[in-house]
DNA sequence: TATACACCTTTACGTTACGTTAAGGTCAAC
DNA sequence: GTTGACCTTAACGTAACGTAAAGGTGTATA
């Protein structure tokens, strides 16, 4: 069946305006245009729209969606499998929120206590390093207990002031890393300052710091795609690698 | 602990700009302002922000959030319980999407077939009436099998053209209902046309229509809060009641 | 004591993904 | 042959911020 704008919109549960907008930005072009100028969509467009909506559901910007699915290397099946993984992650996130709201209910009923930091924990999609209660076992098995002995207890045992300081340090690491990357020199002052800030940041959650473990974590940043994705996304592609290099130099552990 | 803008932002995992914006629109005002003009937030504001983020997570507009939590009748505990219910619904929605992506994967692997309407089914947050595969048992127990014998099979057995026609009718019901409500007369021409369109729409999924069942469904629209919420939200408050009245007159079943 | 430097402020314009008229052409149906 | 539901482009409006710009604040350090 060939769909007009409104028919396609109804099929997908979106507005006609959205369909036209997607044409305007070149995200979804009609299969053909009738003599009267009517947009007409076919099977390929229906499937493409479904892909688009999966990406949109997962919060991807339209510009990025366009880049992704227009790439000649775009693999529909692989994309669907990634959607699946992302949706599973999203469900875990919703589960966290449910746990959080339940704990907050208990708090309001006077049945428990909650620190300020706990109240917002589930809203943040955190870096894996701060999520070890969920990934801990996995990471532990891979990299040993040494580097992963911090956990949820951290949130409960830190005072609000300590937590604020910790968060601030985390932000500074990112800011300094960004500036350092602009220089392009992992051995430069800024990059070494980044590594030092990173050490200070770690010290909050590690009960004993040593250079070997620090360097080990740095290597993990490039080895584990979830870490890499986090830094590359927050800063720019290559950020995880750059940080790793800087830390290896800082700890004198580069071979 | 008293938080500055940036500290509160870090605590909640949002940007300082967002905090200031919430002040600007009167959604979250600081507990006090220092001599130098610095915003300072206390415990009550932290808790209010948590509530705000729960609503935001569920897609509620900031303007509406403000109305809700600023109302003198606002019950924090009741709101939290509603968040819980909505989050559970959201998880069901994500589950639907996961099922959909898995079926689509199977489709691309040539292991199954899928109609166009099935491809987008999970993206729509539908009215309960179209969701009977999930609520069916419940509604069935409450209102009998008579009115609820349509199901998922409908999507698979309708041709794309039939489905398009059905969707169109559904839209027309809403449009006509909107216009009819402006007249305020459930017995008027427009309202009766709405009831007739509603009958046609039903006929697509009911294998045998009769006035009694139609009137019964109309009564359910005001009895079941999920139906009421759907129509009241799509049109305006009172829409479900108005539609019910019109249908009762149309079917001659009003007492 | 000066000077970094990270913070704070307001003002104001930019952005994304559409919603919403407005003004006019198209097409199947009664 | 005229509704009435559709289609078109154009253009302005909106929500929820992001992003400088220009200037004041607070404190740690050289």
């Amino acid at each position: 069946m060939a769909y007009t704008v409104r028919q396609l919109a109804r099929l997908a549960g979106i507005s006609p305006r959205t369909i036209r907008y997607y044409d305007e930005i070149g995200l979804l072009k009609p299969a053909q245009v009738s003599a009267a100028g009517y947009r007409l969509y076919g099977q390929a467009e229906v499937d493409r729209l479904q892909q688009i909506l999966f990406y949109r559901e997962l919060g991807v910007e339209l510009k990025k969606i366009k880049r992704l699915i227009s790439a000649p290397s775009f693999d529909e099946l692989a994309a669907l499998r990634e959607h699946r993984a992302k949706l599973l992650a999203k469900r875990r996130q919703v589960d966290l929120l449910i746990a959080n709201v339940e704990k907050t209910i208990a708090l309001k009923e006077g049945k428990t206590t909650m620190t300020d930091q706990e109240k917002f924990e589930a809203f943040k999609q955190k870096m894996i390093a701060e999520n070890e209660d969920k990934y801990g076992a996995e990471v532990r098995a891979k990299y040993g207990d040494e580097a992963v002995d911090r956990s949820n207890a951290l949130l409960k045992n830190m005072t609000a002031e300590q937590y604020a300081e910790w968060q601030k340090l985390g932000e500074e690491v990112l800011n300094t890393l960004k500036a350092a990357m602009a220089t392009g020199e992992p051995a430069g002052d800024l990059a070494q300052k980044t590594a030092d800030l990173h050490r200070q940041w770690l010290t909050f959650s590690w009960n004993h710091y040593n250079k070997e473990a620090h360097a080990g974590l740095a290597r993990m940043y490039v080895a584990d795609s979830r870490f890499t994705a986090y830094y590359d996304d927050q800063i720019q592609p290559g950020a995880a690698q750059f940080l790793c290099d800087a830390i290896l130099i800082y700890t004198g552990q580069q071979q």
Side-chain angles (χ1 to χ4, degrees), chain A residues 127 173-174 176-177 180-181 186 190-199 201 214-215 217-219 221-222 227 230-232 235 238-250:
Chain A
M127 186 179 44
V173 170
L174 290 182
T176 316
L177 175 55
M181 274 202 80
L190 265 170
Q192 289 308 298
K193 188 184 168 190
T194 307
D196 190 62
L197 283 168
H198 189 257
R199 178 192 57 76
W201 178 72
H214 194 183
L217 185 64
R219 291 205 185 84
Y221 279 2
V222 298
F227 279 87
Y230 175 79
Y231 280 104
D232 288 7
I235 313 286
Q241 182 65 57
F242 186 89
L243 178 59
C244 174
D245 292 345
I247 291 174
L248 290 182
I249 293 167
Y250 178 81

mmCIF file of all heavy atoms in Angstrom, chain A residues 127 173-174 176-177 180-181 186 190-199 201 214-215 217-219 221-222 227 230-232 235 238-250:
data_model
loop_
_atom_site.group_PDB
_atom_site.id
_atom_site.type_symbol
_atom_site.label_atom_id
_atom_site.label_comp_id
_atom_site.label_asym_id
_atom_site.label_seq_id
_atom_site.Cartn_x
_atom_site.Cartn_y
_atom_site.Cartn_z
ATOM 1 N N MET A 127 28.301 7.041 34.779
ATOM 2 C CA MET A 127 29.376 6.272 34.204
ATOM 3 C C MET A 127 29.405 4.942 34.920
ATOM 4 O O MET A 127 29.034 4.824 36.078
ATOM 5 C CB MET A 127 30.695 7.000 34.409
ATOM 6 C CG MET A 127 31.834 6.335 33.706
ATOM 7 S SD MET A 127 33.352 7.234 33.956
ATOM 8 C CE MET A 127 33.256 7.586 35.690
ATOM 9 N N VAL A 173 37.704 17.087 36.340
ATOM 10 C CA VAL A 173 38.437 16.125 35.509
ATOM 11 C C VAL A 173 37.995 16.274 34.057
ATOM 12 O O VAL A 173 38.820 16.407 33.149
ATOM 13 C CB VAL A 173 38.198 14.674 35.984
ATOM 14 C CG1 VAL A 173 38.753 13.679 34.973
ATOM 15 C CG2 VAL A 173 38.831 14.446 37.345
ATOM 16 N N LEU A 174 36.689 16.317 33.851
ATOM 17 C CA LEU A 174 36.170 16.428 32.485
ATOM 18 C C LEU A 174 36.573 17.749 31.832
ATOM 19 O O LEU A 174 37.014 17.778 30.680
ATOM 20 C CB LEU A 174 34.640 16.292 32.498
ATOM 21 C CG LEU A 174 34.091 14.899 32.824
ATOM 22 C CD1 LEU A 174 32.571 14.896 32.759
ATOM 23 C CD2 LEU A 174 34.650 13.857 31.864
ATOM 24 N N THR A 176 39.096 19.780 32.578
ATOM 25 C CA THR A 176 40.531 19.842 32.326
ATOM 26 C C THR A 176 40.925 18.924 31.185
ATOM 27 O O THR A 176 41.757 19.273 30.344
ATOM 28 C CB THR A 176 41.305 19.465 33.600
ATOM 29 O OG1 THR A 176 40.702 20.117 34.725
ATOM 30 C CG2 THR A 176 42.755 19.891 33.494
ATOM 31 N N LEU A 177 40.277 17.772 31.137
ATOM 32 C CA LEU A 177 40.554 16.830 30.054
ATOM 33 C C LEU A 177 40.220 17.452 28.699
ATOM 34 O O LEU A 177 40.973 17.307 27.733
ATOM 35 C CB LEU A 177 39.746 15.547 30.268
ATOM 36 C CG LEU A 177 39.831 14.481 29.163
ATOM 37 C CD1 LEU A 177 41.274 14.095 28.900
ATOM 38 C CD2 LEU A 177 39.017 13.251 29.529
ATOM 39 N N ALA A 180 42.873 19.859 27.904
ATOM 40 C CA ALA A 180 44.119 19.146 27.636
ATOM 41 C C ALA A 180 44.116 18.533 26.242
ATOM 42 O O ALA A 180 45.123 18.546 25.532
ATOM 43 C CB ALA A 180 44.331 18.067 28.694
ATOM 44 N N MET A 181 42.974 18.010 25.851
ATOM 45 C CA MET A 181 42.875 17.383 24.533
ATOM 46 C C MET A 181 43.127 18.382 23.417
ATOM 47 O O MET A 181 43.624 18.025 22.345
ATOM 48 C CB MET A 181 41.496 16.742 24.357
ATOM 49 C CG MET A 181 41.424 15.338 24.915
ATOM 50 S SD MET A 181 40.082 14.401 24.153
ATOM 51 C CE MET A 181 40.820 13.915 22.575
ATOM 52 N N PRO A 186 49.581 14.359 25.688
ATOM 53 C CA PRO A 186 49.282 13.621 26.929
ATOM 54 C C PRO A 186 50.339 13.849 28.001
ATOM 55 O O PRO A 186 50.094 13.617 29.183
ATOM 56 C CB PRO A 186 49.294 12.156 26.478
ATOM 57 C CG PRO A 186 49.219 12.196 24.999
ATOM 58 C CD PRO A 186 49.830 13.475 24.558
ATOM 59 N N LEU A 190 48.672 20.367 31.172
ATOM 60 C CA LEU A 190 47.231 20.226 31.377
ATOM 61 C C LEU A 190 46.820 18.755 31.504
ATOM 62 O O LEU A 190 46.026 18.394 32.366
ATOM 63 C CB LEU A 190 46.461 20.884 30.227
ATOM 64 C CG LEU A 190 46.020 22.324 30.480
ATOM 65 C CD1 LEU A 190 45.481 22.956 29.208
ATOM 66 C CD2 LEU A 190 44.971 22.379 31.586
ATOM 67 N N ALA A 191 47.386 17.936 30.652
ATOM 68 C CA ALA A 191 47.048 16.520 30.683
ATOM 69 C C ALA A 191 47.513 15.885 31.995
ATOM 70 O O ALA A 191 46.817 15.055 32.586
ATOM 71 C CB ALA A 191 47.672 15.799 29.492
ATOM 72 N N GLN A 192 48.681 16.289 32.456
ATOM 73 C CA GLN A 192 49.188 15.742 33.714
ATOM 74 C C GLN A 192 48.371 16.244 34.901
ATOM 75 O O GLN A 192 48.165 15.533 35.886
ATOM 76 C CB GLN A 192 50.678 16.085 33.887
ATOM 77 C CG GLN A 192 51.565 15.304 32.927
ATOM 78 C CD GLN A 192 51.297 13.801 32.999
ATOM 79 O OE1 GLN A 192 51.482 13.163 34.022
ATOM 80 N NE2 GLN A 192 50.801 13.221 31.886
ATOM 81 N N LYS A 193 47.862 17.479 34.763
ATOM 82 C CA LYS A 193 46.979 18.002 35.804
ATOM 83 C C LYS A 193 45.675 17.191 35.820
ATOM 84 O O LYS A 193 45.116 16.885 36.877
ATOM 85 C CB LYS A 193 46.666 19.484 35.536
ATOM 86 C CG LYS A 193 45.901 20.146 36.678
ATOM 87 C CD LYS A 193 45.523 21.584 36.358
ATOM 88 C CE LYS A 193 44.513 22.112 37.367
ATOM 89 N NZ LYS A 193 43.950 23.414 36.967
ATOM 90 N N THR A 194 45.205 16.849 34.624
ATOM 91 C CA THR A 194 44.007 16.012 34.518
ATOM 92 C C THR A 194 44.214 14.691 35.240
ATOM 93 O O THR A 194 43.366 14.252 36.025
ATOM 94 C CB THR A 194 43.690 15.731 33.039
ATOM 95 O OG1 THR A 194 43.621 16.954 32.325
ATOM 96 C CG2 THR A 194 42.364 14.996 32.911
ATOM 97 N N ALA A 195 45.344 14.085 34.980
ATOM 98 C CA ALA A 195 45.644 12.796 35.603
ATOM 99 C C ALA A 195 45.685 12.938 37.126
ATOM 100 O O ALA A 195 45.208 12.057 37.858
ATOM 101 C CB ALA A 195 46.970 12.260 35.078
ATOM 102 N N ASP A 196 46.239 14.047 37.593
ATOM 103 C CA ASP A 196 46.309 14.268 39.032
ATOM 104 C C ASP A 196 44.908 14.468 39.632
ATOM 105 O O ASP A 196 44.598 13.940 40.695
ATOM 106 C CB ASP A 196 47.196 15.487 39.337
ATOM 107 C CG ASP A 196 47.476 15.598 40.832
ATOM 108 O OD1 ASP A 196 48.088 14.664 41.386
ATOM 109 O OD2 ASP A 196 47.033 16.598 41.439
ATOM 110 N N LEU A 197 44.094 15.233 38.950
ATOM 111 C CA LEU A 197 42.713 15.416 39.406
ATOM 112 C C LEU A 197 41.985 14.073 39.441
ATOM 113 O O LEU A 197 41.213 13.792 40.350
ATOM 114 C CB LEU A 197 41.967 16.383 38.475
ATOM 115 C CG LEU A 197 42.282 17.864 38.661
ATOM 116 C CD1 LEU A 197 41.730 18.684 37.501
ATOM 117 C CD2 LEU A 197 41.711 18.381 39.978
ATOM 118 N N HIS A 198 42.272 13.286 38.433
ATOM 119 C CA HIS A 198 41.654 11.968 38.357
ATOM 120 C C HIS A 198 42.075 11.107 39.555
ATOM 121 O O HIS A 198 41.257 10.377 40.119
ATOM 122 C CB HIS A 198 42.049 11.287 37.045
ATOM 123 C CG HIS A 198 41.302 10.023 36.767
ATOM 124 N ND1 HIS A 198 41.854 8.782 36.945
ATOM 125 C CD2 HIS A 198 40.024 9.812 36.354
ATOM 126 C CE1 HIS A 198 40.963 7.850 36.633
ATOM 127 N NE2 HIS A 198 39.841 8.443 36.283
ATOM 128 N N ARG A 199 43.335 11.247 39.938
ATOM 129 C CA ARG A 199 43.820 10.530 41.118
ATOM 130 C C ARG A 199 43.073 10.997 42.375
ATOM 131 O O ARG A 199 42.582 10.181 43.162
ATOM 132 C CB ARG A 199 45.325 10.776 41.309
ATOM 133 C CG ARG A 199 45.893 10.099 42.563
ATOM 134 C CD ARG A 199 47.295 10.579 42.889
ATOM 135 N NE ARG A 199 47.374 12.027 43.063
ATOM 136 C CZ ARG A 199 46.960 12.690 44.149
ATOM 137 N NH1 ARG A 199 46.446 12.022 45.156
ATOM 138 N NH2 ARG A 199 47.062 14.006 44.222
ATOM 139 N N TRP A 201 40.193 12.335 42.520
ATOM 140 C CA TRP A 201 38.802 11.899 42.408
ATOM 141 C C TRP A 201 38.666 10.444 42.856
ATOM 142 O O TRP A 201 37.759 10.076 43.601
ATOM 143 C CB TRP A 201 38.344 12.085 40.964
ATOM 144 C CG TRP A 201 36.953 11.639 40.686
ATOM 145 C CD1 TRP A 201 35.809 12.247 41.081
ATOM 146 C CD2 TRP A 201 36.562 10.474 39.960
ATOM 147 N NE1 TRP A 201 34.724 11.530 40.644
ATOM 148 C CE2 TRP A 201 35.155 10.448 39.947
ATOM 149 C CE3 TRP A 201 37.256 9.461 39.307
ATOM 150 C CZ2 TRP A 201 34.431 9.438 39.312
ATOM 151 C CZ3 TRP A 201 36.546 8.460 38.676
ATOM 152 C CH2 TRP A 201 35.140 8.454 38.689
ATOM 153 N N HIS A 214 45.908 2.488 39.462
ATOM 154 C CA HIS A 214 45.494 3.653 38.678
ATOM 155 C C HIS A 214 45.743 3.392 37.190
ATOM 156 O O HIS A 214 44.879 3.612 36.337
ATOM 157 C CB HIS A 214 46.265 4.886 39.156
ATOM 158 C CG HIS A 214 45.698 6.180 38.654
ATOM 159 N ND1 HIS A 214 46.275 7.394 38.926
ATOM 160 C CD2 HIS A 214 44.610 6.448 37.891
ATOM 161 C CE1 HIS A 214 45.557 8.354 38.360
ATOM 162 N NE2 HIS A 214 44.549 7.800 37.719
ATOM 163 N N ALA A 215 46.912 2.905 36.886
ATOM 164 C CA ALA A 215 47.259 2.596 35.500
ATOM 165 C C ALA A 215 46.364 1.477 34.964
ATOM 166 O O ALA A 215 45.928 1.500 33.801
ATOM 167 C CB ALA A 215 48.724 2.190 35.401
ATOM 168 N N LEU A 217 43.296 0.864 35.840
ATOM 169 C CA LEU A 217 41.996 1.450 35.541
ATOM 170 C C LEU A 217 42.043 2.205 34.211
ATOM 171 O O LEU A 217 41.111 2.137 33.400
ATOM 172 C CB LEU A 217 41.578 2.394 36.671
ATOM 173 C CG LEU A 217 40.186 2.994 36.543
ATOM 174 C CD1 LEU A 217 39.124 1.895 36.606
ATOM 175 C CD2 LEU A 217 39.933 4.025 37.631
ATOM 176 N N ALA A 218 43.151 2.917 34.001
ATOM 177 C CA ALA A 218 43.314 3.675 32.759
ATOM 178 C C ALA A 218 43.250 2.749 31.548
ATOM 179 O O ALA A 218 42.595 3.057 30.546
ATOM 180 C CB ALA A 218 44.642 4.427 32.787
ATOM 181 N N ARG A 219 43.894 1.607 31.660
ATOM 182 C CA ARG A 219 43.869 0.642 30.556
ATOM 183 C C ARG A 219 42.460 0.118 30.334
ATOM 184 O O ARG A 219 42.042 -0.137 29.213
ATOM 185 C CB ARG A 219 44.814 -0.528 30.859
ATOM 186 C CG ARG A 219 46.289 -0.109 30.839
ATOM 187 C CD ARG A 219 47.221 -1.258 30.525
ATOM 188 N NE ARG A 219 48.624 -0.824 30.644
ATOM 189 C CZ ARG A 219 49.281 -0.790 31.795
ATOM 190 N NH1 ARG A 219 48.697 -1.183 32.913
ATOM 191 N NH2 ARG A 219 50.539 -0.370 31.822
ATOM 192 N N TYR A 221 39.845 1.813 30.719
ATOM 193 C CA TYR A 221 39.078 2.857 30.045
ATOM 194 C C TYR A 221 39.048 2.663 28.536
ATOM 195 O O TYR A 221 38.072 3.002 27.872
ATOM 196 C CB TYR A 221 39.651 4.248 30.375
ATOM 197 C CG TYR A 221 39.196 4.796 31.711
ATOM 198 C CD1 TYR A 221 38.372 4.056 32.543
ATOM 199 C CD2 TYR A 221 39.574 6.068 32.126
ATOM 200 C CE1 TYR A 221 37.957 4.551 33.755
ATOM 201 C CE2 TYR A 221 39.157 6.580 33.349
ATOM 202 C CZ TYR A 221 38.352 5.819 34.159
ATOM 203 O OH TYR A 221 37.942 6.309 35.362
ATOM 204 N N VAL A 222 40.143 2.172 27.997
ATOM 205 C CA VAL A 222 40.147 1.943 26.552
ATOM 206 C C VAL A 222 39.717 0.518 26.196
ATOM 207 O O VAL A 222 39.250 0.258 25.099
ATOM 208 C CB VAL A 222 41.514 2.252 25.894
ATOM 209 C CG1 VAL A 222 41.859 3.716 26.077
ATOM 210 C CG2 VAL A 222 42.599 1.378 26.483
ATOM 211 N N PHE A 227 33.193 2.354 29.113
ATOM 212 C CA PHE A 227 33.988 3.480 29.595
ATOM 213 C C PHE A 227 34.338 4.397 28.431
ATOM 214 O O PHE A 227 34.184 5.612 28.497
ATOM 215 C CB PHE A 227 35.276 2.977 30.250
ATOM 216 C CG PHE A 227 35.090 2.505 31.655
ATOM 217 C CD1 PHE A 227 34.725 1.203 31.922
ATOM 218 C CD2 PHE A 227 35.293 3.380 32.724
ATOM 219 C CE1 PHE A 227 34.547 0.761 33.221
ATOM 220 C CE2 PHE A 227 35.131 2.938 34.026
ATOM 221 C CZ PHE A 227 34.756 1.633 34.277
ATOM 222 N N TYR A 230 31.554 6.489 27.305
ATOM 223 C CA TYR A 230 31.242 7.571 28.242
ATOM 224 C C TYR A 230 32.144 8.778 28.017
ATOM 225 O O TYR A 230 31.673 9.891 27.826
ATOM 226 C CB TYR A 230 31.385 7.077 29.684
ATOM 227 C CG TYR A 230 31.205 8.173 30.703
ATOM 228 C CD1 TYR A 230 29.930 8.607 31.049
ATOM 229 C CD2 TYR A 230 32.296 8.794 31.293
ATOM 230 C CE1 TYR A 230 29.749 9.618 31.978
ATOM 231 C CE2 TYR A 230 32.136 9.807 32.221
ATOM 232 C CZ TYR A 230 30.859 10.213 32.556
ATOM 233 O OH TYR A 230 30.686 11.229 33.459
ATOM 234 N N TYR A 231 33.461 8.562 28.006
ATOM 235 C CA TYR A 231 34.374 9.685 27.842
ATOM 236 C C TYR A 231 34.305 10.280 26.434
ATOM 237 O O TYR A 231 34.343 11.494 26.258
ATOM 238 C CB TYR A 231 35.811 9.261 28.174
ATOM 239 C CG TYR A 231 36.068 9.226 29.663
ATOM 240 C CD1 TYR A 231 36.133 8.029 30.358
ATOM 241 C CD2 TYR A 231 36.223 10.407 30.382
ATOM 242 C CE1 TYR A 231 36.353 7.998 31.731
ATOM 243 C CE2 TYR A 231 36.437 10.391 31.752
ATOM 244 C CZ TYR A 231 36.498 9.185 32.423
ATOM 245 O OH TYR A 231 36.703 9.177 33.774
ATOM 246 N N ASP A 232 34.203 9.416 25.447
ATOM 247 C CA ASP A 232 34.131 9.908 24.072
ATOM 248 C C ASP A 232 32.880 10.744 23.858
ATOM 249 O O ASP A 232 32.879 11.705 23.092
ATOM 250 C CB ASP A 232 34.159 8.739 23.084
ATOM 251 C CG ASP A 232 35.543 8.104 23.026
ATOM 252 O OD1 ASP A 232 36.402 8.491 23.843
ATOM 253 O OD2 ASP A 232 35.765 7.234 22.175
ATOM 254 N N ILE A 235 33.232 14.175 26.105
ATOM 255 C CA ILE A 235 34.270 15.107 25.628
ATOM 256 C C ILE A 235 34.300 15.133 24.104
ATOM 257 O O ILE A 235 33.761 16.031 23.480
ATOM 258 C CB ILE A 235 35.658 14.700 26.148
ATOM 259 C CG1 ILE A 235 35.605 14.385 27.641
ATOM 260 C CG2 ILE A 235 36.675 15.785 25.836
ATOM 261 C CD1 ILE A 235 35.471 15.576 28.533
ATOM 262 N N GLY A 238 38.047 9.822 21.157
ATOM 263 C CA GLY A 238 39.459 9.744 21.459
ATOM 264 C C GLY A 238 39.793 10.177 22.880
ATOM 265 O O GLY A 238 40.940 10.077 23.319
ATOM 266 N N ALA A 239 38.806 10.658 23.602
ATOM 267 C CA ALA A 239 39.044 11.200 24.943
ATOM 268 C C ALA A 239 39.517 10.115 25.912
ATOM 269 O O ALA A 239 40.433 10.339 26.713
ATOM 270 C CB ALA A 239 37.790 11.882 25.471
ATOM 271 N N ALA A 240 38.898 8.948 25.829
ATOM 272 C CA ALA A 240 39.266 7.860 26.737
ATOM 273 C C ALA A 240 40.722 7.464 26.497
ATOM 274 O O ALA A 240 41.492 7.281 27.444
ATOM 275 C CB ALA A 240 38.343 6.665 26.523
ATOM 276 N N GLN A 241 41.093 7.364 25.227
ATOM 277 C CA GLN A 241 42.466 7.002 24.870
ATOM 278 C C GLN A 241 43.444 8.056 25.376
ATOM 279 O O GLN A 241 44.488 7.728 25.959
ATOM 280 C CB GLN A 241 42.575 6.857 23.343
ATOM 281 C CG GLN A 241 43.953 6.426 22.866
ATOM 282 C CD GLN A 241 44.302 5.025 23.360
ATOM 283 O OE1 GLN A 241 43.581 4.063 23.103
ATOM 284 N NE2 GLN A 241 45.393 4.899 24.106
ATOM 285 N N PHE A 242 43.075 9.324 25.189
ATOM 286 C CA PHE A 242 43.949 10.424 25.620
ATOM 287 C C PHE A 242 44.136 10.404 27.132
ATOM 288 O O PHE A 242 45.250 10.545 27.645
ATOM 289 C CB PHE A 242 43.346 11.759 25.185
ATOM 290 C CG PHE A 242 44.224 12.942 25.441
ATOM 291 C CD1 PHE A 242 45.146 13.370 24.498
ATOM 292 C CD2 PHE A 242 44.134 13.631 26.645
ATOM 293 C CE1 PHE A 242 45.966 14.470 24.742
ATOM 294 C CE2 PHE A 242 44.951 14.733 26.904
ATOM 295 C CZ PHE A 242 45.861 15.143 25.944
ATOM 296 N N LEU A 243 43.038 10.210 27.855
ATOM 297 C CA LEU A 243 43.103 10.165 29.316
ATOM 298 C C LEU A 243 43.964 9.000 29.770
ATOM 299 O O LEU A 243 44.790 9.126 30.679
ATOM 300 C CB LEU A 243 41.686 10.048 29.898
ATOM 301 C CG LEU A 243 41.605 9.934 31.421
ATOM 302 C CD1 LEU A 243 42.236 11.143 32.100
ATOM 303 C CD2 LEU A 243 40.164 9.765 31.877
ATOM 304 N N CYS A 244 43.776 7.871 29.113
ATOM 305 C CA CYS A 244 44.578 6.694 29.438
ATOM 306 C C CYS A 244 46.066 6.986 29.253
ATOM 307 O O CYS A 244 46.881 6.708 30.136
ATOM 308 C CB CYS A 244 44.158 5.527 28.545
ATOM 309 S SG CYS A 244 45.195 4.070 28.733
ATOM 310 N N ASP A 245 46.407 7.582 28.112
ATOM 311 C CA ASP A 245 47.808 7.918 27.843
ATOM 312 C C ASP A 245 48.370 8.829 28.924
ATOM 313 O O ASP A 245 49.470 8.617 29.439
ATOM 314 C CB ASP A 245 47.929 8.606 26.475
ATOM 315 C CG ASP A 245 47.615 7.645 25.332
ATOM 316 O OD1 ASP A 245 47.586 6.424 25.587
ATOM 317 O OD2 ASP A 245 47.385 8.111 24.208
ATOM 318 N N ALA A 246 47.592 9.850 29.260
ATOM 319 C CA ALA A 246 48.039 10.818 30.257
ATOM 320 C C ALA A 246 48.288 10.131 31.604
ATOM 321 O O ALA A 246 49.291 10.398 32.282
ATOM 322 C CB ALA A 246 47.003 11.925 30.401
ATOM 323 N N ILE A 247 47.372 9.234 31.967
ATOM 324 C CA ILE A 247 47.500 8.563 33.263
ATOM 325 C C ILE A 247 48.695 7.606 33.268
ATOM 326 O O ILE A 247 49.433 7.516 34.252
ATOM 327 C CB ILE A 247 46.201 7.800 33.610
ATOM 328 C CG1 ILE A 247 45.068 8.798 33.899
ATOM 329 C CG2 ILE A 247 46.411 6.906 34.819
ATOM 330 C CD1 ILE A 247 43.713 8.162 34.108
ATOM 331 N N LEU A 248 48.916 6.931 32.151
ATOM 332 C CA LEU A 248 50.056 6.011 32.084
ATOM 333 C C LEU A 248 51.361 6.779 32.245
ATOM 334 O O LEU A 248 52.295 6.311 32.911
ATOM 335 C CB LEU A 248 50.039 5.235 30.763
ATOM 336 C CG LEU A 248 48.917 4.192 30.639
ATOM 337 C CD1 LEU A 248 48.999 3.446 29.328
ATOM 338 C CD2 LEU A 248 48.951 3.215 31.812
ATOM 339 N N ILE A 249 51.426 7.959 31.656
ATOM 340 C CA ILE A 249 52.615 8.789 31.829
ATOM 341 C C ILE A 249 52.705 9.283 33.281
ATOM 342 O O ILE A 249 53.762 9.246 33.908
ATOM 343 C CB ILE A 249 52.571 9.986 30.856
ATOM 344 C CG1 ILE A 249 52.702 9.477 29.415
ATOM 345 C CG2 ILE A 249 53.659 11.000 31.180
ATOM 346 C CD1 ILE A 249 52.366 10.499 28.362
ATOM 347 N N TYR A 250 51.578 9.692 33.807
ATOM 348 C CA TYR A 250 51.516 10.209 35.181
ATOM 349 C C TYR A 250 51.982 9.161 36.185
ATOM 350 O O TYR A 250 52.707 9.466 37.132
ATOM 351 C CB TYR A 250 50.086 10.635 35.494
ATOM 352 C CG TYR A 250 49.848 11.140 36.892
ATOM 353 C CD1 TYR A 250 50.174 12.456 37.243
ATOM 354 C CD2 TYR A 250 49.290 10.312 37.868
ATOM 355 C CE1 TYR A 250 49.951 12.921 38.530
ATOM 356 C CE2 TYR A 250 49.071 10.770 39.151
ATOM 357 C CZ TYR A 250 49.402 12.072 39.487
ATOM 358 O OH TYR A 250 49.177 12.533 40.751
#
